[in-house]
Amino acid sequence: MKKDLLWASISLLLLACGSNEKEYDATGVFEATEVTVAAEQSGVLMAFDVTEGDEMALGKEVGLVDTTQIWLKIRQAGATKDVYQSQKPNMEAQIAATRQQLAKARQDQQRYRELVADGAAPSKMLDDATNLVQVLQKQLDAQISSLSTSTNALNKQMAATDVQVSQLEDQLRKCHVTAPIAGTVLEKYVEQGEFVATGKPLFKMADTKQMFIRAYVTSAQLKNIKVGQQAKVFADYGDGQKKEYAGVVSWISNRSEFTPKTILTDDERADLVYALKVAIKNDGYVKIGMYGEVKF
């Protein structure tokens, strides 16, 4: 009987000693990559199909800011470009007469050159013909230069109009509110019909499929941990209920910090710890802010 009591006492002692060993190396809180979507244009929110808890695909359009004024400005810019286009001179038509006069003067010059060579006409007639050719050539060059300058100026004004239209089209694109990532809507800040200003937050969403737990470890633990290392992550539902996930260390802080009051470490006497993230694939049960444990 005494022998049985002795063995029972030893068993209880061993069990008590074994229970002091922690089943985890660090604890922390689950987080996700969160994005706050803000208005990129000012105006009345004509449409806004967002509900908290909705799952959204990347690039899905969920809202529209009033585009009326931008469309009107685009039409105005298009009309201005048409005006510039109509003002462009028809260079060939405007210099055709001068070209014809110059061609006729050159023919006369050649005829007088032959007559003077034969002694059938005085040299003054050739001089006059040559002078007329030179005058007409200068007139033609001046016309071409003037018309080219006018055309280039109008082309630049048309190019500036094209830039203006591109800017307006960019503003028009920004009136369409889209999901910047694939994820879940966490919070909604406005309703359809409200006036929103540029930069006003519209809603917040997060990628809840790829989550991570932010935990803290001491320098003694850090020597055995590296980025890419496999780890076990446990989601803590309370009352001893846990669920295990396969995790990968995705980030380790390069600097230490004082132990946050809300976390536990393997060595609670340590004043300085290092933050790290362990990424997991969420099956829908892990929620942002939930406590968890990490075993390296």
Side-chain angles (χ1 to χ4, degrees):
M1 181 68 177
K2 292 182 179 180
K3 186 176 181 180
D4 292 338
L5 289 174
L6 177 62
W7 280 111
S9 300
I10 293 174
S11 299
L12 289 173
L13 180 60
L14 291 174
L15 182 61
C17 293
S19 63
N20 290 331
E21 184 180 352
K22 295 180 180 178
E23 298 178 354
Y24 55 86
D25 295 316
T27 64
V29 178
F30 285 98
E31 300 178 358
T33 301
E34 299 182 3
V35 177
T36 299
V37 181
E40 296 185 82
Q41 289 294 317
S42 297
V44 176
L45 200 56
M46 305 301 292
F48 194 57
D49 184 18
V50 173
T51 303
E52 293 179 354
D54 281 353
E55 293 287 337
M56 291 187 181
L58 172 64
K60 178 183 179 182
E61 183 171 335
V62 296
L64 177 66
V65 177
D66 186 13
T67 62
T68 303
Q69 292 302 315
I70 298 177
W71 269 115
L72 292 176
K73 289 179 180 178
I74 290 176
R75 292 183 60 185
Q76 182 182 23
T80 301
K81 182 177 179 179
D82 291 340
V83 171
Y84 291 145
Q85 179 66 42
S86 66
Q87 292 177 350
K88 290 177 65 175
N90 187 335
M91 184 180 295
E92 291 301 322
Q94 295 195 31
I95 65 176
T98 305
R99 284 189 184 277
Q100 187 174 1
Q101 291 175 357
L102 180 59
K104 177 65 171 57
R106 284 174 175 168
Q107 290 177 355
D108 292 342
Q109 181 188 33
Q110 181 61 31
R111 185 168 59 252
Y112 289 133
R113 182 177 291 113
E114 293 173 355
L115 290 174
V116 170
D118 294 339
S123 59
K124 184 178 183 306
M125 296 183 67
L126 178 59
D127 293 340
D128 292 341
T130 300
N131 182 65
L132 180 60
V133 169
Q134 293 175 349
V135 170
L136 290 173
Q137 182 63 57
K138 290 180 180 180
Q139 288 180 354
L140 179 62
D141 293 341
Q143 283 182 318
I144 292 175
S145 177
S146 176
L147 293 172
S148 296
T149 300
S150 178
T151 300
N152 290 336
L154 291 169
N155 284 338
K156 290 180 180 180
Q157 288 176 317
M158 292 173 64
T161 303
D162 288 337
V163 172
Q164 183 181 5
V165 170
S166 296
Q167 291 175 332
L168 292 170
E169 288 176 344
D170 180 63
Q171 294 177 16
L172 189 65
R173 178 187 61 79
K174 292 178 179 178
C175 287
H176 296 263
V177 182
T178 58
I181 61 172
T184 305
V185 177
L186 301 180
E187 297 180 62
K188 177 181 178 182
Y189 305 122
V190 297
E191 297 291 341
Q192 179 177 335
E194 290 187 35
F195 180 88
V196 295
T198 302
K200 180 179 178 61
L202 303 178
F203 65 97
K204 180 191 289 185
M205 62 185 305
D207 180 4
T208 55
K209 300 295 183 183
Q210 304 292 331
M211 295 184 64
F212 56 88
I213 182 171
R214 179 187 291 269
Y216 296 85
V217 296
T218 64
S219 57
Q221 292 175 295
L222 189 62
K223 66 181 180 180
N224 298 318
I225 303 172
K226 63 180 180 179
V227 174
Q229 180 176 331
Q230 302 292 319
K232 292 182 180 180
V233 177
F234 301 91
D236 190 348
Y237 295 92
D239 295 330
Q241 300 183 27
K242 300 179 182 180
K243 190 170 185 180
E244 181 179 340
Y245 295 88
V248 178
V249 179
S250 59
W251 171 81
I252 299 176
S253 176
N254 289 323
R255 63 178 61 184
S256 61
E257 55 187 283
F258 286 101
T259 307
K261 299 298 183 182
T262 58
I263 63 101
L264 299 174
T265 67
D266 189 50
D267 182 0
E268 296 179 4
R269 295 172 299 175
D271 291 328
L272 294 175
V273 292
Y274 293 84
L276 56 77
K277 295 179 182 179
V278 180
I280 66 165
K281 289 186 177 180
N282 187 13
D283 56 2
Y285 292 99
V286 177
K287 306 301 181 183
I288 296 174
M290 181 181 291
Y291 284 93
E293 302 168 354
V294 183
K295 183 70 174 179
F296 298 103

